[in-house]
Amino acid sequence: MDLWNQLVRSLTTDRAADIARAGVILLITLVVARFAGRGARRLIALRGDMHRALLAKRLIGWGIFLLGLAAALEELGFKLHVVLGAAGLATVAVGFAAQTTLSNMVSGFFLFGERPFSLGDCIEIDGALGEVLSVDLLSTQIRTFDNRFVRIPNELLIKSKLVNHTRFPLRRLDLTIPIGHHEHFQDVRALLLDIADKNPLCLAEPPPKAFITAFGETNALVQLWLWTRTENLQDLRASVTEDIHRALDPVKRGTPPT
Amino acid sequence: MVSRLPHEWQVCREQGPVQGDTDALVELPAGPHEAPEGASITRYVTASTTESCRILPVLPDRTVVTRPERPLTILPHTEVVLYVGSPVWVRLFSGENETLGDLPASPPKEAWLGPNTLEGELCYATRTLGRLRLDEATLRPHRVVTAVSIRNAVDSPFVCSQVSLPVRQLSVYASDEGRLWTEAVTLERTTTTGFAKLHIGTKPPAEASHATLVSGPREQAEHGNVFRAFGTLFG
């Protein structure tokens, strides 16, 4: 009963007004944070940079929310400088415990500035190859081409070698073709360059090249370089290898293998 | 082959057995037919089709880089005219004004035009015999001829291994003999850096003075009619 009376008294005093004000501040803060985050995302996305747009949305949204939270706590009578002072001591302890998390956050900011890749790029790191789905403060998520989800800590992205397969508009396809020593290389080169010329996915410039790179006991290795648009790389590989296999089929050519 | 079906125009395109054929054929079959094996088919679906369709030759949607079969060495203070052929695109219309799309009459090879593989643009690559006399150039209905005047105004020879034509800024004219032309173009080398300025004229050359305009440019030039052509590219 005493507890009930205390509760009723607290709701009918000035304390109630403070609680109401804090609630209103929080509510307004949530709305402003949401719209400001969305607006920042749309503004930056207009430049085609979805990576920065998402990060900006989160930073601005959380930043405004934290400011509003601090204001609401002030209304409720909390002395923030006391809280922060105590938090300073706790931070030292937390810092030791959360080194990895803080490292990932700091790495996230460096990635934001350096931009080694963008959303949708195909990257390869630490044995994982896939399309970038999102870049968050602590990690980057990719989807592998066999549809698996891989989470990569940002710290790993900063300190490891990263390969971006789709950064540039063109890619070169390198194929190694073994030919027997009985084959005339000039005929084989003419055949390979003719295949490249007839393939619509293979660019005329930079021009295709074919040359011998190594000699074995029974065969020589021919290296074929073909340039194509990045998005056509796999299709070119599939079509050219089929054409080469058909063209170099010893049975079809009537030349028995030795 | 262009066919009219209920609510649909069907365009069937077949590449000849040898690239670089001298003919391009547009056929309007009178009755039902089957598409040849290996042909590519494009279907344009509309609410209603008209009894007629129209085709118009236009120039490609990208820059065309033309390489002479053998590079030309233009001596100092010399001017020559080179007749360069560009591939034709066919623009299809349903009736008089409804545009269906553009298709290449003979698809050229794609190429990269730029100082390196990081910067540049996609273009089309063709080859030319580099005729210096019009009567030596074979009449090809699916090619548009550009008379390129190359003027070497410096004291050193100019090796012209390729010319990039900004065909998006060129128009198509038809002469009485059935040849397609663009405006005359002038390539002028005034420095020894290897780059030459390219000026687009306002009408076809004198050889096609009576040619009539068939289709206008895809876009207007933004910075006047001056472009650059490379003497050599990729070494």
Side-chain angles (χ1 to χ4, degrees), chain B residues 13-186:
Chain B
R13 187 160 59 81
E14 184 185 24
Q15 182 73 29
V18 177
Q19 284 188 344
D21 276 350
T22 56
D23 297 315
L25 182 67
V26 177
E27 184 182 341
L28 303 172
H33 66 283
E34 283 190 11
E37 190 178 335
S40 67
I41 299 174
T42 308
R43 300 172 63 187
Y44 298 97
V45 179
T46 65
S48 62
T49 57
T50 60
E51 290 183 354
S52 64
C53 73
R54 189 165 67 99
I55 62 172
L56 199 68
V58 295
L59 282 164
D61 53 352
R62 294 183 200 150
T63 299
V64 175
V65 176
T66 303
R67 280 186 180 270
E69 289 289 332
R70 295 181 181 78
L72 300 175
T73 301
I74 316 292
L75 295 178
H77 304 287
T78 302
E79 179 175 354
V80 297
V81 176
L82 188 68
Y83 294 95
V84 173
S86 300
V88 154
W89 256 235
V90 175
R91 181 166 291 167
L92 296 163
F93 295 89
S94 174
E96 284 298 314
N97 295 318
E98 185 179 5
T99 306
L100 297 180
D102 292 354
L103 292 171
S106 179
K109 289 279 285 183
E110 287 188 331
W112 184 253
L113 177 65
N116 51 54
T117 55
L118 305 182
E119 309 162 18
E121 59 173 316
L122 273 174
C123 64
Y124 295 114
T126 65
R127 288 199 169 268
T128 180
L129 292 172
R131 299 295 186 193
L132 301 178
R133 287 172 47 176
L134 182 62
D135 53 4
E136 293 176 350
T138 307
L139 176 63
R140 295 171 187 255
H142 60 296
R143 306 277 284 186
V144 182
V145 178
T146 303
V148 182
S149 297
I150 304 176
R151 192 179 303 155
N152 185 12
V154 298
D155 294 333
S156 59
F158 173 49
V159 179
C160 179
S161 58
Q162 65 181 42
V163 174
S164 62
L165 286 177
V167 294
R168 292 179 60 86
Q169 284 84 25
L170 297 178
S171 307
V172 179
Y173 296 82
S175 65
D176 295 336
E177 59 175 348
R179 197 188 293 270
L180 297 176
W181 292 89
T182 70
E183 295 90 332
V185 162
T186 303

Side-chain angles (χ1 to χ4, degrees), chain A residues 109-156:
Chain A
F109 284 114
F110 280 116
L111 283 175
F112 181 76
E114 190 183 340
R115 292 180 63 194
F117 54 84
S118 306
L119 290 180
D121 277 352
C122 172
I123 64 171
E124 181 178 359
I125 182 167
D126 198 33
L129 170 69
E131 175 194 355
V132 177
L133 294 178
S134 69
V135 183
D136 298 325
L137 283 175
L138 297 180
S139 66
T140 296
Q141 286 90 47
I142 70 170
R143 179 190 69 87
T144 63
F145 294 115
D146 55 354
N147 229 29
R148 288 181 293 165
F149 175 83
V150 180
R151 177 187 175 276
I152 304 170
N154 287 339
E155 184 187 24
L156 188 64

Side-chain angles (χ1 to χ4, degrees), chain A residues 90-212:
Chain A
T91 299
V92 174
V94 169
F96 279 107
Q99 281 182 61
T100 304
T101 303
L102 290 172
S103 173
N104 282 321
M105 282 183 67
V106 172
S107 300
F109 284 114
F110 280 116
L111 283 175
F112 181 76
E114 190 183 340
R115 292 180 63 194
F117 54 84
S118 306
L119 290 180
D121 277 352
C122 172
I123 64 171
E124 181 178 359
I125 182 167
D126 198 33
L129 170 69
E131 175 194 355
V132 177
L133 294 178
S134 69
V135 183
D136 298 325
L137 283 175
L138 297 180
S139 66
T140 296
Q141 286 90 47
I142 70 170
R143 179 190 69 87
T144 63
F145 294 115
D146 55 354
N147 229 29
R148 288 181 293 165
F149 175 83
V150 180
R151 177 187 175 276
I152 304 170
N154 287 339
E155 184 187 24
L156 188 64
L157 288 167
I158 284 291
K159 68 182 185 184
S160 302
K161 184 180 83 169
L162 178 146
V163 179
N164 189 336
H165 291 273
T166 53
R167 179 64 167 252
F168 302 126
L170 301 186
R171 284 286 306 276
R172 193 182 75 190
L173 175 66
D174 295 347
L175 295 174
T176 302
I177 302 126
I179 62 170
H181 287 310
H182 65 279
E183 301 274 3
H184 289 149
F185 170 65
Q186 287 76 11
D187 294 342
V188 173
R189 179 168 57 190
L191 188 72
L192 293 175
L193 294 181
D194 185 61
I195 289 172
D197 186 53
K198 287 188 168 73
N199 193 306
L201 300 176
C202 178
L203 298 181
E205 287 288 344
K209 288 186 181 171
F211 50 91
I212 295 176

